[in-house]
Amino acid sequence: MPLTLKCALVARGTFVVCEYEADFYSGSLPDAARKVLSQISRGKGMKTFVYEGHAFNYLVDRDLCFICVSDLDVGTSGPYSFLKDLKVKYTQAASRPTVGEAELTRLLKNAVDEHNGQGTVAKVHRMESELDEVTELMKDNITKVFIPL
């Protein structure tokens, strides 16, 4: 399954609080996202900024900016949905007094992986589907063995 999100970050103003890049991509997207971050207008809302052949989708809320990078052909509905979910998860996690940068980065990684179909829930569903296929194959084989000739 292709990755729909290549990179994501959360910034307070222009200071990057946490970032995550999907493992299967080159290392230039976080740098490009930081460049785009400095160009984003601080008006509240969601928009897309096209830069270097990628869509930099972003949501600004107060002093926080949530960015996710996708290919241009992905569209905006998936990335925008991701950004809304990320904002809720991040705001809840960041409100705890003991939260650290590592925990916020892990939250971001899990959110990207889940959106890309690599999260725990997606893996469980995929495994259940594969198990169902194997079960059906075994039933067919057993039936073939016991059919009288």
Side-chain angles (χ1 to χ4, degrees):
M1 170 187 293
L3 299 176
T4 58
L5 297 182
K6 307 291 185 182
C7 173
L9 66 81
V10 178
R12 186 172 302 280
T14 57
F15 175 76
V16 175
V17 178
C18 60
E19 67 183 346
Y20 173 70
E21 181 178 17
D23 290 337
F24 308 106
Y25 209 76
S26 70
S28 63
L29 282 179
D31 294 334
R34 288 170 186 266
K35 287 178 185 174
V36 168
L37 179 62
S38 67
Q39 303 299 315
I40 291 174
S41 68
R42 296 298 162 190
K44 187 175 182 177
M46 285 191 288
K47 294 185 181 173
T48 299
F49 192 98
V50 177
Y51 181 72
E52 293 185 356
H54 289 89
F56 290 77
N57 308 282
Y58 65 92
L59 181 153
V60 176
D61 184 49
R62 294 179 292 238
D63 62 339
L64 291 174
C65 184
F66 303 88
I67 300 176
C68 66
V69 183
S70 63
D71 288 328
L72 292 173
D73 61 354
V74 170
T76 57
S77 63
Y80 284 180
S81 176
F82 167 80
L83 291 170
K84 289 177 193 173
D85 291 343
L86 177 61
K87 177 187 155 197
V88 170
K89 291 175 183 176
Y90 180 88
T91 305
Q92 288 173 347
S95 68
R96 293 193 311 268
T98 59
V99 70
E101 182 182 338
E103 186 177 345
L104 294 174
T105 300
R106 193 169 26 259
L107 177 139
L108 185 58
K109 176 195 180 308
N110 292 340
V112 169
D113 287 348
E114 186 174 319
H115 179 82
N116 284 339
Q118 298 173 332
T120 305
V121 172
K123 286 180 182 177
V124 168
H125 288 298
R126 193 169 35 248
M127 288 175 59
E128 286 175 342
S129 175
E130 290 173 4
L131 185 59
D132 288 342
E133 289 176 22
V134 170
T135 302
E136 286 303 312
L137 181 64
M138 289 177 65
K139 286 178 182 178
D140 288 344
N141 288 339
I142 290 171
T143 304
K144 289 177 185 175
V145 168
F146 287 113
I147 293 179
L149 297 174

